[in-house]
């Protein structure tokens, strides 16, 4: 099969299209013929091995997972003998987690990490949902504990996670403020944001508004600045992916580490978000999509052999919403 492989950390040019052996499903896995895959900030971090500290988990000298990509949608080709809820021919979507492998014609995935595709979405839209949608879901209704009437600020509202977070926060009954650049103001407003802050014109951390939850998806502000706009008992959820700026030792981990150290000593809740894929989360996203409460926004699509170009577009801060690969 054809797949995008990587044998050393580096820029998008280290990603190459190659012929590799097709995977064979284990007893608890399903084999999926991939129709679409989606890029996430996670993917360029894994490609670059950035921040360098993350290589302790991803592989010290080269990527442990040779084929890139987490999010996918496609058709089930075969199932292992222990699989009960999925059958050949089913249209499914899912997130491979740290195992990677979605930028390929076929992928094997545990049954617990796939779910039926939303019936009203294309494979490209379904592939855009998993990691970004789960991150938004966990950050808001999970650790953020957002309730009806809460005031929520989303820093990075035009990104892959942000566009879904705006929609999900509105579904929860929150009053939503989205922070984005000038060119994305109309997009964020169209998703349901009650207020939009153009960060090129205004500094939301100096505003008089106070929020019950601040969901930070960028990591470009200090803890002091982010806490300044919280209510006295507000919650700060940290999940900043950032963009590539030439490499770093710890990257956004620095802000997260500081947040973890400070959390026990302040009245504000400071929560470090780690998104974990699961069938339950995928089913929740499917329900939101099928009822029209959540619609993935796709910026651009690229064919499989153009993954390097797609990655370059994503990591350079030009992308908004989701970038999707068709296979």
């Amino acid at each position: 099969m054809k797949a995008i492989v990587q044998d050393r950390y580096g820029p998008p040019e280290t990603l190459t299209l190659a012929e590799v052996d097709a995977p064979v499903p284990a007893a608890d896995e399903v084999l999926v013929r991939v129709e679409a895959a989606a890029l996430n900030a996670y993917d360029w971090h894994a490609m670059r091995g950035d921040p360098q500290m993350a290589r302790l988990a991803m592989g010290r000298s080269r990527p442990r997972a040779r084929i890139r990509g987490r999010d996918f949608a496609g058709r089930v080709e075969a199932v292992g003998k222990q699989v009960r809820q999925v059958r050949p021919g089913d249209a499914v979507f899912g997130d491979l987690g740290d195992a990677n492998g979605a930028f390929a014609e076929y992928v094997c995935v545990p049954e617990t990490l796939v779910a039926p595709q939303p019936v009203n979405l294309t494979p490209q839209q379904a592939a855009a949902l998993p990691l970004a949608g789960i991150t938004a879901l966990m950050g808001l209704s999970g650790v953020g504990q957002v309730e009806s009437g809460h005031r929520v600020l989303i820093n990075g509202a035009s990104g892959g996670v942000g566009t879904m977070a705006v929609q999900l926060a509105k579904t929860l009954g929150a009053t939503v403020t989205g922070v984005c650049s000038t060119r994305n103001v109309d997009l964020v407003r169209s998703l349901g944001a009650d207020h939009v802050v153009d960060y090129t014109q205004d500094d939301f951390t100096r505003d008089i508004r106070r929020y019950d939850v601040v969901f930070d998806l960028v990591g470009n502000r200090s803890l002091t600045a982010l806490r300044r706009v919280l209510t006295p008992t507000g919650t700060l959820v940290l999940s900043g992916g950032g963009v590539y700026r030439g490499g770093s030792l710890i990257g956004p981990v620095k802000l997260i580490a500081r947040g973890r150290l400070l959390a026990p000593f302040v009245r504000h809740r400071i929560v470090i978000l780690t998104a974990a894929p699961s069938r339950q989360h995928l089913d929740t996203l499917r329900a939101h999509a099928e009822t029209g409460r959540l619609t993935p926004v796709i910026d651009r699509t690229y064919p499989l052999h153009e993954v390097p170009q797609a990655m370059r577009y994503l990591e350079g801060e030009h992308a908004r919403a989701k970038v999707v690969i068709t296979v």
Side-chain angles (χ1 to χ4, degrees):
M1 70 169 186
K2 291 182 174 63
I4 296 294
V5 301
Q6 182 183 23
D7 294 312
R8 62 182 177 86
Y9 292 119
E13 289 74 22
T14 59
L15 303 176
T16 59
L17 184 67
E19 286 285 344
V20 300
D21 293 336
V24 177
D28 63 343
E29 291 182 332
V30 298
L31 176 68
V32 178
R33 171 68 171 91
V34 179
E35 295 178 317
L39 274 65
N40 297 282
Y42 169 91
D43 296 310
W44 75 254
H45 281 291
M47 175 189 73
R48 295 272 185 180
D50 182 74
Q52 293 181 24
M53 185 176 175
R55 298 186 187 188
L56 296 175
M58 295 186 296
R60 288 178 180 267
S61 59
R62 61 182 180 179
R64 198 170 281 126
R66 190 173 183 234
I67 302 175
R68 296 268 65 80
R70 288 181 57 153
D71 291 349
F72 67 91
R75 292 275 176 182
V76 175
E77 290 280 319
V79 300
K81 61 182 180 181
Q82 296 177 5
V83 173
R84 296 291 180 267
Q85 294 182 293
V86 181
R87 294 181 294 182
D90 287 353
V92 297
F93 75 121
D95 175 0
L96 291 163
D98 293 339
N100 289 273
F103 299 158
E105 292 180 316
Y106 293 91
V107 67
C108 278
V109 58
E111 180 186 19
T112 55
L113 297 183
V114 297
Q117 287 184 32
V119 296
N120 58 329
L121 299 188
T122 66
Q124 290 75 25
Q125 290 174 308
L129 272 177
L131 180 55
I134 290 171
T135 302
L137 193 67
M138 292 180 66
L140 295 169
S141 60
V143 298
Q145 301 175 11
V146 173
E147 299 176 355
S148 180
H150 275 178
R151 289 162 294 178
V152 175
L153 180 135
I154 299 166
N155 185 26
S158 62
V161 178
T163 52
M164 298 193 193
V166 170
Q167 297 175 74
L168 290 173
K170 290 302 298 179
T171 294
L172 293 168
T175 298
V176 179
T177 296
V179 182
C180 62
S181 64
T182 306
R183 75 185 185 106
N184 295 321
V185 167
D186 289 341
L187 168 64
V188 173
R189 188 173 287 119
S190 74
L191 296 172
D194 300 281
H195 310 284
V196 182
V197 177
D198 178 353
Y199 68 77
T200 69
Q201 303 294 323
D202 299 295
D203 182 354
F204 72 90
T205 68
R206 298 291 179 181
D207 199 352
I208 61 172
R209 291 193 183 101
R210 295 295 177 263
Y211 303 93
D212 299 289
V213 177
V214 170
F215 193 7
D216 180 44
L217 300 167
V218 185
N220 63 347
R221 302 287 183 171
S222 69
L223 284 175
T224 300
L226 292 169
R227 291 178 56 223
R228 187 185 300 131
V229 296
L230 286 172
T231 61
T233 56
T235 297
L236 171 60
V237 181
L238 297 175
S239 182
V243 294
Y244 183 67
R245 300 192 186 282
S248 63
L249 178 62
I250 59 176
V253 176
K254 183 177 181 180
L255 179 66
I256 289 170
R258 286 178 174 173
R260 200 183 300 277
L261 290 171
L262 184 64
F265 305 104
V266 295
R267 183 164 51 172
H268 293 138
R269 288 181 66 236
I270 301 177
V271 184
I272 313 304
L273 178 60
T274 301
S278 71
R279 171 66 182 261
Q280 180 181 1
H281 288 131
L282 293 171
D283 284 339
T284 300
L285 292 175
R286 184 180 78 248
H288 282 306
E290 290 182 344
T291 55
R293 296 189 295 263
L294 178 62
T295 302
V297 179
I298 297 176
D299 181 3
R300 293 187 181 186
T301 59
Y302 294 80
L304 182 62
H305 69 275
E306 291 185 1
V307 165
Q309 292 94 312
M311 197 74 80
R312 184 169 296 285
Y313 178 68
L314 175 74
E315 72 170 358
E317 204 174 7
H318 300 297
R320 60 179 181 175
K322 296 296 295 184
V323 176
V324 174
I325 304 302
T326 57
V327 183

